[in-house]
Amino acid sequence: MSNVLEERILQLGEEIAALTAGSRGEAEQLRLKYLSKKGLVSVLFDEFKGVPAPMKREVGQLLNELKNKAQEKITALAAGFVKEEAGSASTLDLTRPTDNFRPGALHPLSIVKNRIVEIFGRLGFTVTEGPEIEDDWHNFSALNFAPDHPARDMQDTFFIATDPEILLRTHTSSVQIRVMEKTPPPIRMIFPGRVFRNEVISARAHCIFHQVEGLYIDKNVSFADLKQTLMFYAQEMFGEGTRIRLRPSFFPFTEPSGEMDISCNICGGSGCNICKHTGWVEVLGCGMIDPNVLENCGIDSKIYTGFAFGMGIERSAMLKYRVRDLRLFFENDLRFLRQFTGAV
Ligand code: 2NL
């Protein structure tokens, strides 16, 4: 009797080893057929009870092996389908619409910068950028700053503690110096970028701000060219009816120097708190490049002249969008930034 049982155990073992399944459902059917309470393997366990004691050890071992192999085999057959189904395209609906998403907005400073770049681009100005960490020469000395100029003070400029020659640029003029040192005129470029000054942070000042400076160097460039260029810029940026005025000023790197006001586009010139009831708001500084600066960069000031200008992007953005506190540009509060969705 036990020899017959042994024979049947081995046969069933061969049968199970050769099993295949075409789906998960088929694998489940096999599990029921062989391993359920009334399955073919379980039936052999029932018969095992009648095996004579001396043979129980040997037959029991065979039977346990059969059960383990059957479980392994059928589990493996089912597992193949789990993987395949999870990975197959049939469970993914590729035609389903995506979740709604809210389009982002350009930062107002980017909008204004892009607009400035675009306006000067139409006049043939190209864009150049440069390093934010500078040396004394490119930020100060080449720009004709006197050795004791107050801007060189630690109170105003962020120096690197270990080396007084290295600092965070206080204007993008340092990039213009780099260009002039290696580019023979004509040069017609604008220079957008982030600049750093050691200011107490308030509604009107920040230790980081953004600038666009411009440079035009060629033979016979005059103050009239400067005026006409900036007039064009003001009207494109702030509206066709905008008027400009130039007031004398001083910068170490330009001579003569001026500050440009535009007619107040908020009150139209009649007087409001933005223009402090003068009808005019300052938007930029400018001037004819000091011959010393040209010579410092290896450009012959007897042959070439040029004009330069610089403006704060925050200031222009505050005027354009009537933002009353400069700090809003740096806090990245979404309630502020979302108001610029679709703005131009
Ligand atoms: C301002 C005034 C200005 C310049 C920047 C410049 C650069 C070189 C040579 C000469 Cl390399 N000038 N830049 C000139 C005049 C004014 O900026 O108020 N900026 C916010």
Side-chain angles (χ1 to χ4, degrees):
M1 138 99 194
S2 57
N3 267 351
V4 177
L5 187 57
E6 265 185 40
E7 193 60 35
R8 284 175 56 208
I9 292 172
L10 295 174
Q11 249 179 21
L12 197 58
E14 280 172 28
E15 187 181 319
I16 290 172
L19 288 177
T20 58
S23 70
R24 229 189 132 174
E26 273 181 44
E28 177 59 13
Q29 287 304 313
L30 293 175
R31 198 187 63 76
L32 290 172
K33 180 175 171 190
Y34 292 96
L35 292 167
S36 66
K37 263 207 176 114
K38 296 223 159 71
L40 294 177
V41 176
S42 309
V43 167
L44 294 184
F45 270 93
D46 286 342
E47 290 180 23
F48 171 73
K49 286 171 192 148
V51 172
M55 301 208 56
K56 265 207 149 85
R57 220 177 93 88
E58 192 190 323
V59 179
Q61 208 174 343
L62 279 175
L63 204 49
N64 275 325
E65 273 171 26
L66 174 71
K67 190 181 148 198
N68 290 339
K69 286 211 173 112
Q71 272 171 345
E72 262 173 46
K73 172 76 187 185
I74 292 169
T75 307
L77 285 176
F81 294 109
V82 173
K83 257 188 224 150
E84 201 179 291
E85 279 168 27
S88 77
S90 64
T91 62
L92 291 176
D93 180 2
L94 297 178
T95 65
R96 206 184 128 229
T98 59
D99 293 335
N100 285 338
F101 66 93
R102 207 202 281 240
L106 283 179
H107 193 282
L109 297 178
S110 298
I111 298 173
V112 170
K113 183 194 78 176
N114 291 348
R115 180 93 179 112
I116 296 169
V117 166
E118 187 266 320
I119 293 168
F120 282 101
R122 279 187 269 145
L123 295 175
F125 286 76
T126 56
V127 174
T128 301
E129 291 175 311
E132 291 177 354
I133 301 173
E134 265 299 357
D135 52 43
D136 176 276
W137 171 256
H138 291 96
N139 196 77
F140 291 129
S141 296
L143 283 152
N144 208 35
F145 278 79
D148 59 350
H149 192 281
R152 297 182 112 124
D153 201 292
M154 299 259 286
Q155 303 270 290
D156 293 318
T157 300
F158 292 113
F159 289 90
I160 306 301
T162 50
D163 186 348
E165 286 294 305
I166 308 297
L167 47 87
L168 298 183
R169 69 181 180 193
T170 60
H171 41 210
T172 55
S173 312
S174 51
V175 187
Q176 314 186 47
I177 296 297
R178 289 179 181 278
V179 166
M180 287 192 280
E181 282 175 337
K182 60 182 205 300
T183 316
I187 300 170
R188 189 162 41 174
M189 289 179 187
I190 56 168
F191 306 84
R194 190 156 53 163
V195 302
F196 307 86
R197 289 186 198 172
N198 194 2
E199 300 268 2
V200 175
I201 296 168
S202 72
R204 308 169 131 263
H206 208 285
C207 56
I208 301 174
F209 61 100
H210 297 76
Q211 262 198 327
V212 177
E213 286 193 52
L215 189 69
Y216 182 24
I217 304 174
D218 203 345
K219 292 172 183 158
N220 302 314
V221 175
S222 74
F223 201 89
D225 299 312
L226 164 66
K227 240 171 102 176
Q228 198 60 36
T229 302
L230 295 181
M231 168 85 158
F232 175 79
Y233 165 72
Q235 296 191 335
E236 291 297 306
M237 189 70 179
F238 298 103
E240 254 178 71
T242 307
R243 287 165 296 136
I244 63 166
R245 75 173 184 188
L246 283 158
R247 288 175 289 105
S249 184
F250 175 81
F251 301 108
F253 33 81
T254 44
E255 185 60 36
S257 305
E259 253 143 354
M260 185 175 91
D261 298 339
I262 58 167
S263 50
C264 182
N265 66 346
I266 290 176
C267 64
S270 60
C272 66
N273 58 0
I274 301 289
C275 62
K276 299 195 199 90
H277 299 278
T278 63
W280 296 94
V281 274
E282 186 188 319
V283 288
L284 56 81
C286 58
M288 300 305 292
I289 301 166
D290 193 294
N292 290 343
V293 175
L294 294 172
E295 296 293 338
N296 284 341
C297 301
I299 295 174
D300 190 339
S301 62
K302 287 190 238 27
I303 301 175
Y304 292 105
T305 53
F307 66 75
F309 54 88
M311 62 187 111
I313 300 180
E314 282 79 359
R315 206 187 150 67
S316 301
M318 285 174 95
L319 281 174
K320 194 168 155 72
Y321 297 118
R322 317 218 174 148
V323 176
R324 292 183 177 278
D325 193 321
L326 189 87
R327 288 169 288 199
L328 286 163
F329 293 124
F330 300 99
E331 285 165 354
N332 287 333
D333 185 331
L334 290 175
R335 291 169 301 180
F336 174 69
L337 296 178
R338 282 200 176 119
Q339 294 178 51
F340 296 90
T341 307
V344 284

